[in-house]
Amino acid sequence: MEFLDCHHHFFDSKNNKFSKFLSSLIDGEAVYLPKDYNRDVLQAIEESESQSKQKKIRHVGSVHVEVMPDDGLSEVLWVESLNNTTVKAIVASCNLAEDNVEATLQSLTKASPKVRGIRWILDCVGSRKNPENEATHPGNLRHDGIDYLRDEVHSTKFAHGFSFLEKYGLSFDLQCAPEQLPAAAALCARYPNVPVVIDHLGKLMLILGKNNTNLMPDDVKLDEWRHGMKAMAKLPNVYVKISMLGRIIPSWIQSTRSIDLIRKLCQETVILFGPERCMIASNFHGDAASSDSDGYSTVGPTAVEYLEFMMDFFAAMALKEQ
């Protein structure tokens, strides 16, 4: 299997002046560089393959996805300056609701031919300052409580910026809460020539409760997620990344039951979108647990374990769906 890792992150909050917002979210310094990714993903795969009689995985490149920089252009130039990377493409940061959005998109595409897409984190179910709104991403603090997909005024402005993506040949990485997916589908339907990639399996969250104490998955959360994903799957310009599964069920790899639940959700997604519109991503930006769960677990699969799970999940499906 050729593996192009379609989602990972590099950052250096200690040395990059454009990472002030990122620094404000963490306690201490956050650094993840090519040497770290090469150790955790590339070398781990190579070592595993060298010990295997049957070669199964070949890493062929990767995609760096923005990490909430204060200035997207500065981050792109920094990624381009890094040595010894596997990066084939960059998903850059740009607030599509800003006034000078076209000029920003133009400068990003001129800065590097690797800039192929844009992400602006949109997860919003209310102000992040309210601890009950866990599904609102910390990145929303840059415009606290504004929902660029559902707020009547701000969604209009965001859609205006979104409309320029086709002109510059850019895709959009959609990271939002499941309840926002129908609104996202309405936006994407208006711009059928803009490829849209749903991040992290649509951000389904804690279906067995915070400590996996629920006996049964939360049907309300699953129904909400399925409703939104079905709306997105109807659009041929929409794709999905299968990643960060530990946010759905923290420590999922430690339980046969949890593995089975995750398997069914991954298979359901592939059936819904079709295999040609699904991607596998490591999301590596730190240790295995944080990369898999976004801080909800202390346990996560290594890159090799994750890929082996994926091969196992999809090997059980009909050839047509693989």
Side-chain angles (χ1 to χ4, degrees):
M1 178 182 76
E2 289 190 343
F3 173 51
L4 195 152
D5 190 355
C6 61
H7 194 116
H8 70 80
H9 308 284
F10 294 141
F11 46 85
D12 184 351
S13 68
K14 177 181 178 181
N15 296 305
N16 286 335
K17 294 181 179 179
F18 58 78
S19 294
K20 290 180 181 178
F21 176 74
L22 177 64
S23 297
S24 73
L25 300 178
I26 57 178
D27 183 16
E29 298 168 354
V31 180
Y32 196 78
L33 298 172
K35 64 181 179 65
D36 302 306
Y37 179 84
N38 292 344
R39 176 197 65 227
D40 294 337
V41 180
L42 185 60
Q43 291 172 18
I45 291 173
E46 291 174 349
E47 290 173 7
S48 175
E49 291 296 285
S50 69
Q51 298 169 14
S52 174
K53 293 181 180 179
Q54 183 180 3
K55 305 300 182 185
K56 296 183 292 184
I57 305 168
R58 185 165 72 91
H59 188 288
V60 296
S62 66
V63 179
H64 170 271
V65 179
E66 61 89 22
V67 195
M68 300 175 289
D70 308 329
D71 175 59
L73 178 59
S74 295
E75 184 188 52
V76 166
L77 295 174
W78 174 71
V79 172
E80 279 283 51
S81 75
L82 296 172
N83 295 318
N84 197 28
T85 79
T86 59
V87 173
K88 303 292 186 184
I90 296 171
V91 176
S93 174
C94 176
N95 182 355
L96 297 178
E98 68 181 29
D99 291 334
N100 59 337
V101 60
E102 184 173 13
T104 300
L105 293 175
Q106 190 173 45
S107 66
L108 288 169
T109 52
K110 284 185 176 180
S112 169
K114 291 180 181 177
V115 174
R116 309 286 179 79
I118 295 297
R119 182 174 78 159
W120 189 259
I121 292 173
L122 298 173
D123 319 36
C124 183
V125 298
S127 172
R128 176 70 185 191
K129 294 174 182 176
N130 182 343
E132 294 184 1
N133 295 330
E134 269 191 285
T136 295
H137 193 278
N140 185 264
L141 290 169
R142 292 176 288 183
H143 42 84
D144 189 46
I146 293 177
D147 186 338
Y148 281 128
L149 291 171
R150 295 182 293 180
D151 178 274
E152 185 174 352
V153 174
H154 291 98
S155 64
T156 300
K157 197 167 186 180
F158 190 85
H160 173 72
F162 191 95
S163 70
F164 289 109
L165 295 176
E166 179 181 357
K167 178 178 179 180
Y168 292 95
L170 295 167
S171 64
F172 183 73
D173 262 47
L174 174 69
Q175 183 172 310
C176 69
E179 68 180 65
Q180 295 174 286
L181 286 170
L187 171 66
C188 298
R190 291 167 57 190
Y191 302 100
N193 294 323
V194 176
V196 175
V197 185
I198 302 170
D199 284 356
H200 307 315
L201 211 70
K203 296 296 290 285
L204 186 59
M205 181 178 178
L206 304 177
I207 63 170
L208 293 178
K210 277 193 176 182
N211 299 309
N212 294 342
T213 54
N214 296 352
L215 292 176
M216 298 297 292
D218 189 322
D219 284 336
V220 173
K221 288 184 177 182
L222 285 169
D223 288 346
E224 181 178 71
W225 173 77
R226 286 180 173 126
H227 175 69
M229 292 293 273
K230 287 177 181 177
M232 296 297 285
K234 290 178 181 178
L235 305 173
N237 57 317
V238 176
Y239 304 76
V240 60
K241 296 178 187 178
I242 300 174
S243 55
M244 211 164 75
L245 303 176
R247 184 181 172 91
I248 303 173
I249 304 176
S251 306
W252 62 276
I253 62 171
Q254 292 189 312
S255 159
T256 301
R257 174 172 175 260
S258 294
I259 291 171
D260 189 54
L261 287 170
I262 291 293
R263 175 191 288 110
K264 289 176 179 177
L265 289 170
C266 290
Q267 291 176 345
E268 179 179 344
T269 300
V270 171
I271 292 171
L272 190 60
F273 283 83
E276 68 281 356
R277 292 198 284 151
C278 295
M279 313 175 197
I280 296 171
S282 76
N283 192 42
F284 258 79
H285 59 270
D287 61 34
S290 61
S291 299
D292 181 59
S293 71
D294 204 21
Y296 283 96
S297 175
T298 57
V299 178
T302 66
V304 172
E305 288 171 338
Y306 176 69
L307 291 171
E308 288 176 342
F309 273 118
M310 293 297 102
M311 288 189 288
D312 176 64
F313 288 179
F314 302 129
M317 299 179 70
L319 183 62
K320 176 183 176 182
E321 289 151 353
Q322 290 180 31

